[in-house]
């Protein structure tokens, strides 16, 4: 889905993020020393359907945004605002949903979000939220939709 390269010394030199577009539950991935993901649960659909890799490859540029964009409401954006985000605060569709690192009471930190405009459609529109825990090298993906 997305690869983030790190120019700083972190626990992983880069981070590859994958997800299942049809996952209705929070989905967790562990990441090896190179940042490659392995699903750890819950496992994706067992209905026998094949998981197709993304067919569109894009390179994007990340830019700092003015403080007025710090908080954006999904409800009033009405598909007119860019709700893709790396860092900052999530624009919740249904309400805050911060997952925990499996086996702990530690919240996984918000990393980024994708709007339905990315080509995934949840309900009549929605968001995919990605969380990262530096200590355990685990990502969690949560989707919310209208």
């Amino acid at each position: 889905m997305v690869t983030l390269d790190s120019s700083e010394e972190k626990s992983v030199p880069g981070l590859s993020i994958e997800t299942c577009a049809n996952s209705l539950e929070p989905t967790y991935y562990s990441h090896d020393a190179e940042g490659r993901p392995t699903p750890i649960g819950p496992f994706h659909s067992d209905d026998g359907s094949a998981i197709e890799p993304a067919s569109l490859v894009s390179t994007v540029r990340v830019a700092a945004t003015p403080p007025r964009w710090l908080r954006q409401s999904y409800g009033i954006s009405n598909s007119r605002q860019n709700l893709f985000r790396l860092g900052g605060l999530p624009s919740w569709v249904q309400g805050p949903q911060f997952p925990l690192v499996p086996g702990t009471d530690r919240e996984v930190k918000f990393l980024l979000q994708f709007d339905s405009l990315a080509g995934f459609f949840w309900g009549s529109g929605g968001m995919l939220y990605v969380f990262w825990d530096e200590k355990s090298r685990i990502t969690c993906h949560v989707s919310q939709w209208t």
Side-chain angles (χ1 to χ4, degrees):
M1 174 176 238
V2 67
T3 300
L4 303 172
D5 293 320
S6 176
S7 58
E8 300 176 24
E9 185 134 342
K10 298 283 185 184
S11 66
V12 290
L15 185 63
S16 293
I17 298 171
E18 295 179 0
T19 192
C20 177
N22 299 321
S23 180
L24 301 177
E25 298 294 324
T27 305
Y28 292 86
Y29 290 78
S30 64
H31 295 265
D32 66 14
E34 298 302 314
R36 289 182 298 260
T38 301
I40 58 175
F43 295 103
H44 303 298
S45 172
D46 59 357
D47 65 3
S49 61
I51 297 174
E52 296 293 326
S55 59
L56 177 63
V57 176
S58 299
T59 300
V60 298
R61 184 174 52 116
V62 177
T65 54
R68 75 180 209 124
W69 297 110
L70 179 63
R71 297 182 192 276
Q72 287 176 272
S73 167
Y74 180 83
I76 63 173
S77 74
N78 201 21
S79 300
R80 293 184 307 260
Q81 296 178 4
N82 179 347
L83 294 178
F84 295 91
R85 180 169 306 236
L86 176 61
L89 302 171
S91 299
W92 297 108
V93 175
Q94 299 293 336
Q97 185 179 357
F98 289 95
L100 300 177
V101 175
T104 75
D105 59 357
R106 188 172 71 243
E107 285 186 354
V108 185
K109 305 289 186 208
F110 174 72
L111 177 64
L112 57 91
Q113 70 186 30
F114 287 97
D115 196 329
S116 282
L117 299 174
F120 302 107
F121 291 97
W122 301 278
S124 60
M127 302 288 277
L128 177 71
Y129 306 94
V130 180
F131 300 85
W132 166 251
D133 182 65
E134 181 77 19
K135 185 176 179 181
S136 64
R137 296 193 325 215
I138 287 177
T139 54
C140 179
H141 312 126
V142 174
S143 57
Q144 292 184 352
W145 57 92
T146 56

